[in-house]
Amino acid sequence: MRFLDVLVGAAAMGSALAAPTGEASTPTTKTSKRASKFQFDGVNQSGAEFGNKDLPGQLGKHYTWPVHSSIDTLMGKGFNTFRIPFMMERLIPTKLTGTVNTTYSQGLTDIVNYITGKGGYAIVDPHNFGRYYDKVITDVDGFKAWWTTTAKLFASNSKVLWDTNNEYHDMDQTLVKNLNQAAIDGIRAAGATSQYILVEGNSYSGAWTWTTTSGNTNLATLKDPQDKIIYEMHQYLDSDGSGTSVNCVSSTIGQERIQAATAWLKANGKKGIIGETAGGANAQCISALTGMLSFMAANTDVWTGWLWWGGGPWWGDYIYGIEPPSGTAYKGVLPSLLPYI
């Protein structure tokens, strides 16, 4: 999400946000029968990337991990995919070529194994915007090494997907391409050969600018020996596409904003996924969202699925919160999205 820095200190703002609301949901032990046309229907489960200005930070104060019972509840609704944002610096804190922090990796391993143990997919998402300790990553070999170390954690888990990095932005386009390729190479070098790799683009990986101002068309030349690249794009429906407003531009803006990206995927023989999307709990946004999902469902030759932003126990009354049982979107938007899950 683009404006994460506004929210990363949420846990420190009061007990209303610090309470893990997901614990109040009713667990279920099996996933509802899925009728979706998509391979992946999911939710971003935030928490471990919070407090990104407080590194390494303290568990329970600066960051947290998703709640098991929330995964249960959302799986009961039909979701099968959960993207787990976290901080590169917390997992490998000293340098890109360093070693894993055992305590933090245990939290990541716990939630990933819980999701995949229930038959779901877990997307491992270093939520760093192409930066490491606030500096643009220019050490391509170091980035490859970081990924080789990280991928070894789940190399044998076929239900894991790898997200090279969240929302590269304001970076040299050749560098963005080279970092994505380094991530692919590093993951495969770890022996992680069975899983999909989600590559992201510049300009916050927006679908609406993918073929125009972002320069992301050069990512079509990325190579994977396993041929399992999925192009992850993000798409919000407010006026500037930032995902910070309950208002959507129109009832048709969702489909309109992904049409060019859809054509690009088809022309290049690629697969895509909307890794983040959301809209306000109102009729216009719901129409825009369902229109976009209907369009995607009619183009499943290229679109593999979509994920809502966002879930996680510390969102409180966040405008797009889908955390059970009382998140704004959980109550006000999700019922309208169930036909697409």
Side-chain angles (χ1 to χ4, degrees), residues 206-208 233-237 241 254 257-258 274 276-278 292:
W208 66 328
M233 305 179 192
H234 297 175
Q235 193 56 66
Y236 294 96
L237 310 180
R257 283 188 172 171
I258 67 168
I274 296 295
E276 292 184 17
T277 192
M292 181 180 74

Side-chain angles (χ1 to χ4, degrees), residues 41-204:
D41 302 274
V43 173
N44 286 267
Q45 278 289 314
S46 285
E49 84 282 23
F50 278 25
N52 67 347
K53 301 302 183 184
D54 294 288
L55 298 172
Q58 181 179 334
L59 178 64
K61 179 180 179 181
H62 300 110
Y63 70 92
T64 190
W65 292 99
V67 178
H68 288 185
S69 59
S70 295
I71 303 299
D72 294 337
T73 300
L74 292 167
M75 278 190 162
K77 296 293 185 181
F79 288 112
N80 73 335
T81 306
F82 299 89
R83 183 170 178 248
I84 311 301
F86 66 95
M87 297 303 297
M88 292 175 65
E89 301 90 341
R90 288 183 177 138
L91 186 65
I92 302 179
T94 56
K95 55 185 177 181
L96 290 170
T97 56
T99 57
V100 166
N101 176 280
T102 303
T103 301
Y104 194 72
S105 68
Q106 286 173 345
L108 179 61
T109 299
D110 173 76
I111 191 61
V112 167
N113 287 348
Y114 187 77
I115 292 165
T116 62
K118 291 179 65 67
Y121 294 97
I123 300 175
V124 174
D125 165 36
H127 212 77
N128 278 67
F129 304 88
R131 280 127 176 101
Y132 186 72
Y133 286 108
D134 271 343
K135 295 182 179 179
V136 170
I137 300 169
T138 57
D139 181 359
V140 175
D141 289 339
F143 190 63
K144 177 182 177 181
W146 186 94
W147 262 115
T148 297
T149 302
T150 299
K152 287 178 179 177
L153 295 173
F154 307 108
S156 62
N157 189 336
S158 63
K159 305 290 281 188
V160 165
L161 292 81
W162 310 103
D163 183 340
T164 66
N165 222 256
N166 179 70
E167 294 188 348
Y168 303 94
H169 69 89
D170 299 290
M171 295 168 62
D172 175 78
Q173 187 61 33
T174 299
L175 176 61
V176 171
K177 177 188 170 184
N178 290 343
L179 289 173
N180 273 295
Q181 188 63 60
I184 294 167
D185 295 344
I187 290 165
R188 298 310 185 206
T193 58
S194 66
Q195 304 114 324
Y196 288 102
I197 297 176
L198 311 184
V199 300
E200 294 202 35
N202 215 349
S203 298
Y204 302 94

Side-chain angles (χ1 to χ4, degrees), residues 233-279:
M233 305 179 192
H234 297 175
Q235 193 56 66
Y236 294 96
L237 310 180
D238 46 356
S239 60
D240 61 359
S242 64
T244 56
S245 172
V246 297
N247 299 314
C248 294
V249 173
S250 72
S251 62
T252 58
I253 193 63
Q255 176 177 338
E256 291 165 7
R257 283 188 172 171
I258 67 168
Q259 283 178 328
T262 303
W264 181 85
L265 291 167
K266 288 177 180 286
N268 288 279
K270 306 299 184 183
K271 298 288 188 180
I273 188 170
I274 296 295
E276 292 184 17
T277 192

Side-chain angles (χ1 to χ4, degrees), residues 214-235:
S214 70
N216 287 329
T217 54
N218 77 332
L219 300 182
T221 59
L222 291 170
K223 303 295 183 184
D224 173 25
Q226 305 302 318
D227 194 25
K228 301 193 81 169
I229 293 174
I230 298 177
Y231 289 78
E232 180 181 331
M233 305 179 192
H234 297 175
Q235 193 56 66

